[in-house]
Amino acid sequence: MRPILMKGHERPLTFLKYNRDGDLLFSCAKDHTPTVWFADNGERLGTYRGHNGAVWSCDVSRDSMRLITGSADQTVKLWNVQTGAQLYTFNFGSPARSVDFSVGDKLAVITTDPFMELTSAIHVKRIARDPTEQTEESELVIKGPQGRINRAVWGPLNRTIVSAGEDAVIRIWDSETGKLLREADKESGHKKTITSLTKSADGSHFLTGSLDKSAKLWDTRSLTLIKTYVTERPVNAVAMSPLLDHVVLGGGQDASAVTTTDHRAGKFEAKFFDKILQEEIGGVKGHFGPINALAFNPDGKSFSSGGEDGYVRLHHFDPDYFNIKI
Amino acid sequence: MYGVVHFTTGSLNMPIDKSDPNPNQSKASKFRWGELEEDDNLDFLLPPKEVIGPDENGIKKVIEYKFNDEGNKVKITTTTRARKLAKARLNRRAVERRNWERFGDAVHEDVGSRLTMVSTEEIILERPRAPGMKAEEIKVPGDSLAQLSKGGAVLMVCRTCGKKGDHWTSKCPYKDLAAPVETFVDKPVASEASVAASGSGKGAYVPPSMRAGAERTAGSDMRRRNDENSVRVTNLSEDTREPDLLELFRPFGAVTRVYVAMDQKTGTSRGFSFVNFVNREDAQRAINKLNGYGYDNLILRVEWATPRAN
């Protein structure tokens, strides 16, 4: 396949997200400006100007009208996707790391980093249909985990919130009361910071990637460990194919390997694994730096990866990808 | 959505008319060259442009003939592949979004802006090993060398236990056993076995390869350039390096070592290198196939490396 290279960001990519219809790709990077691209040919549609710090993550509503972005400038902003106009700004006491719309787009879960005296927290905000009615107040604030919470997403039917972060423990919280419902088992769980989390298309299971060079697949309701995928590199980003039973891991480079790197450029790869057999299917090389973001198009026929090099690479699969057998 | 990707497969500079031994001269002689004012007059001598329409893969070939600067007839074949970039089964809203106006930093963007480019390299999903082979099948007990010649992998040689193909010296699982033949034995009492071979009296140093019980064959993979399976490659380009040659020679068989002679001062290749194969037949095949092979704009010379004088 011939990937499409999109160099719209000056700084490393942090997050990639496709909209529900699969025709738009939103990219967030450390350069303060989230960008939206057409997902078929990679043409840039527009940029959202307004943030003053690295943008760590974003989410788009199901109708592709609203974009929410979380940034290191301690704000979370709501945008009109079509015009690029800012609709509302939530202010926090510390950098906002992860944002996620609920099913129905009426609520959003936002995590903030530990900063000075503040510990990290998970905030739930109500999102009004009409931006003029938007209020700042939180429906719910959950505190508890030590260290940064890298990702928090809604569980099935918005009843739960799943969070994962620096303390390597996955937690499931009740979204109405804020009570801790479940914690992942310490022995079978990750040993180092969990960097990324992605849900399956139906929400029944999710995948977490960690700096301990592995990714683990969990059941959402019972938080039992289903599968583990092992790589040689710390995992920065994970994605699951909505169409086939494939899992993709994107990673960095171990500090110890830096001096022995061979000189060929473009060798950071996104590794494909069979979801059920846990075996490596292959790798897609090309990035000049560690891969920080991965996303699958909801139709499963293309995926994109964002790297430390500032490039977004959009890959449309060749027909023989769909016939891969182990 | 259609995207057009152009490949020009290059022009062939050769006379086209096979029936006429002196095509250019004979045709030109029909017109006195002094009368010719413009080159266009000669265009009707050329065969017409052929278009081989898009086939089921979307490949279209256009064959044109023209005269190049030297007056030679030149055939230019342009192969164009129109690729469907995405199945255009977008829903209504997505189609509307396609027509949205650009905003933010993209406002002044022209359609041909260089932010978005299709990669010139074809990237494939690289399989870790040949599909169909499971990990267990690789570990064939017995001669690990034989299985390596199938896989074309680099031969791993361990100096401690002498086993080939399993692990490197630093990873030797038997490293504490430090093969008895390696230890320097001083007292003849302890080394009756080693003295017997040399027969030169007690206390004389007997090299490991001459001691009794020493594996003679282990010596062959100790030797480097001065090997029977060594191939010399000359006329290399300046920036050819070991990995490039390894990739080039690997298809012929297991390669133990690649050495590219480098100029210390400039850091560039001196133009020659040595490649050591495990099997002599692989080396022979490599020589047959790659001698005269065009690599990085130079014609390679691949031959047996002359054995060293000693």
Side-chain angles (χ1 to χ4, degrees):
Chain A
M1 54 195 150
R2 280 195 193 256
I4 300 171
L5 280 55
M6 291 120 81
K7 177 101 172 103
H9 290 286
E10 307 291 316
R11 307 256 338 265
L13 270 282
T14 53
F15 199 73
L16 284 171
K17 181 92 192 179
Y18 278 91
N19 67 342
R20 182 73 175 77
D21 298 323
D23 64 313
L24 296 177
L25 174 63
F26 294 86
S27 61
C28 307
K30 293 185 183 171
D31 67 351
H32 314 190
T33 322
T35 308
V36 62
W37 315 77
F38 285 112
D40 49 9
N41 61 359
E43 256 177 64
R44 187 166 71 164
L45 171 58
T47 61
Y48 300 91
R49 292 191 282 213
H51 272 303
N52 258 329
V55 181
W56 292 116
S57 71
C58 67
D59 196 6
V60 58
S61 63
R62 195 183 164 105
D63 54 9
S64 304
M65 298 297 293
R66 298 270 175 275
L67 176 72
I68 187 170
T69 54
S71 162
D73 65 357
Q74 307 182 359
T75 63
V76 165
K77 289 186 193 280
L78 272 177
W79 311 78
N80 178 323
V81 169
Q82 179 172 7
T83 60
Q86 275 185 51
L87 297 172
Y88 194 78
T89 302
F90 294 97
N91 289 299
F92 294 93
S94 59
R97 179 95 13 195
S98 150
V99 293
D100 194 39
F101 273 123
S102 63
V103 176
D105 306 325
K106 291 226 173 75
L107 299 166
V109 65
I110 298 163
T111 61
T112 49
D113 290 350
F115 187 67
M116 299 214 285
E117 306 87 35
L118 295 169
T119 52
S120 50
I122 301 173
H123 306 254
V124 175
K125 302 270 189 202
R126 188 159 284 280
I127 308 288
R129 277 258 152 248
D130 182 355
T132 52
E133 288 167 24
Q134 185 69 54
T135 57
E136 177 84 37
E137 55 180 77
S138 301
E139 292 269 315
L140 182 63
V141 180
I142 304 172
K143 291 191 207 227
Q146 295 293 327
R148 218 161 68 185
I149 304 173
N150 279 325
R151 197 95 186 101
V153 296
W154 290 93
L157 296 180
N158 300 338
R159 290 218 194 98
T160 54
I161 294 172
V162 183
S163 75
E166 256 181 350
D167 59 0
V169 177
I170 302 167
R171 294 188 174 83
I172 299 195
W173 312 83
D174 182 299
S175 57
E176 307 218 347
T177 61
K179 215 166 61 105
L180 176 62
L181 295 174
R182 259 179 247 278
E183 256 186 28
D185 179 35
K186 282 230 158 36
E187 274 84 60
S188 57
H190 283 294
K191 304 286 175 284
K192 285 198 188 167
T193 302
I194 298 176
T195 51
S196 47
L197 192 158
T198 183
K199 294 190 287 190
S200 67
D202 62 356
S204 63
H205 50 284
F206 63 91
L207 180 66
T208 53
S210 158
L211 295 182
D212 66 0
K213 305 188 192 171
S214 73
K216 291 182 193 279
L217 192 68
W218 308 82
D219 176 277
T220 316
R221 275 179 297 186
S222 59
L223 203 48
T224 43
L225 176 62
I226 310 174
K227 297 282 177 194
T228 306
Y229 311 93
V230 179
T231 61
E232 298 139 7
R233 293 187 166 166
V235 177
N236 289 342
V238 289
M240 266 198 273
S241 170
L243 196 60
L244 300 176
D245 282 330
H246 289 169
V247 145
V248 192
L249 310 186
Q253 184 167 28
D254 228 1
S256 55
V258 170
T259 53
T260 55
T261 313
D262 84 281
H263 62 280
R264 281 177 296 177
K267 63 182 293 283
F268 288 89
E269 54 177 353
K271 280 222 158 107
F272 278 71
F273 284 79
D274 184 292
K275 184 150 80 173
I276 301 167
L277 301 175
Q278 294 175 159
E279 270 178 34
E280 193 185 318
I281 304 175
V284 174
K285 288 197 155 78
H287 271 286
F288 298 99
I291 294 177
N292 289 337
L294 280 172
F296 255 97
N297 190 311
D299 70 5
K301 300 191 184 147
S302 59
F303 84 100
S304 52
S305 56
E308 192 80 9
D309 49 17
Y311 275 89
V312 177
R313 292 170 74 94
L314 177 59
H315 308 80
H316 288 276
F317 290 115
D318 288 333
D320 50 357
Y321 163 76
F322 301 99
N323 301 329
I324 290 181
K325 300 262 178 295
I326 296 282
Chain B
M1 309 288 150
Y2 278 82
V4 177
V5 178
H6 287 268
F7 306 89
T8 303
T9 50
S11 48
L12 305 168
N13 270 346
M14 51 192 208
I16 298 303
D17 196 343
K18 292 191 177 77
S19 56
D20 193 334
N22 290 318
N24 289 340
Q25 283 173 329
S26 61
K27 290 220 165 29
S29 63
K30 290 188 186 153
F31 307 89
R32 264 184 253 127
W33 56 266
E35 289 172 1
L36 294 175
E37 311 241 329
E38 298 128 35
D39 293 353
D40 311 311
N41 291 345
L42 290 175
D43 280 352
F44 57 86
L45 290 175
L46 300 169
K49 178 167 96 167
E50 262 176 71
V51 175
I52 302 170
D55 61 17
E56 66 274 4
N57 293 331
I59 299 181
K60 183 169 95 162
K61 275 204 171 88
V62 175
I63 305 178
E64 292 171 302
Y65 296 85
K66 48 195 239 230
F67 287 102
N68 70 0
D69 300 323
E70 292 143 29
N72 293 330
K73 229 192 283 179
V74 150
K75 176 185 182 191
I76 301 176
T77 310
T78 309
T79 310
T80 313
R81 181 161 65 183
R83 288 185 68 159
K84 258 203 285 199
L85 285 177
K87 286 261 145 79
R89 276 183 303 178
L90 298 174
N91 63 32
R92 181 175 51 95
R93 294 248 171 75
V95 173
E96 281 168 20
R97 286 193 281 263
R98 219 37 182 94
N99 296 324
W100 277 358
E101 281 192 7
R102 317 276 150 147
F103 57 90
D105 296 328
V107 159
H108 303 294
E109 208 151 282
D110 48 3
V111 183
S113 101
R114 282 172 314 144
L115 273 194
T116 303
M117 298 179 288
V118 179
S119 164
T120 45
E121 265 181 83
E122 175 86 12
I123 304 273
I124 48 164
L125 184 66
E126 288 169 28
R127 312 300 300 266
R129 50 178 67 92
M133 262 190 341
K134 296 231 180 23
E136 301 82 52
E137 288 168 18
I138 299 276
K139 307 242 188 305
V140 173
D143 190 9
S144 45
L145 274 186
Q147 118 228 347
L148 275 178
S149 52
K150 282 191 292 193
V154 174
L155 179 74
M156 291 192 276
V157 172
C158 171
R159 286 190 288 269
T160 315
C161 59
K163 253 175 48 160
K164 297 164 215 159
D166 200 27
H167 53 264
W168 292 110
T169 312
S170 56
K171 297 264 189 292
C172 182
Y174 309 111
K175 59 176 177 276
D176 48 331
L177 301 181
V181 290
E182 295 281 352
T183 52
F184 181 78
V185 181
D186 221 341
K187 304 278 187 300
V189 177
S191 62
E192 60 273 13
S194 44
V195 172
S198 68
S200 53
K202 328 175 209 204
Y205 172 63
V206 180
S209 53
M210 303 236 288
R211 290 178 204 164
E215 245 191 61
R216 281 307 182 120
T217 51
S220 71
D221 48 26
M222 291 304 170
R223 267 175 258 135
R224 304 287 185 216
R225 279 204 286 149
N226 33 344
D227 196 20
E228 311 92 51
N229 300 340
S230 182
V231 168
R232 177 175 49 233
V233 191
T234 31
N235 202 26
L236 291 173
S237 68
E238 266 192 343
D239 40 24
T240 305
R241 296 284 176 273
E242 279 90 345
D244 309 317
L245 291 174
L246 180 61
E247 243 182 78
L248 183 63
F249 282 87
R250 240 203 218 163
F252 297 96
V255 175
T256 54
R257 188 172 190 252
V258 179
Y259 169 70
V260 174
M262 302 282 241
D263 184 333
Q264 298 298 358
K265 294 201 195 79
T266 70
T268 57
S269 157
R270 279 165 64 197
F272 66 95
S273 70
F274 292 89
V275 178
N276 284 53
F277 282 91
V278 169
N279 299 311
R280 199 175 166 78
E281 308 82 56
D282 296 338
Q284 181 65 62
R285 279 189 299 128
I287 291 174
N288 297 340
K289 279 280 156 79
L290 292 180
N291 192 22
Y293 180 70
Y295 188 73
D296 201 8
N297 293 325
L298 293 176
I299 307 285
L300 293 182
R301 202 172 91 201
V302 183
E303 58 203 337
W304 290 112
T306 46
R308 301 233 302 186
N310 60 351

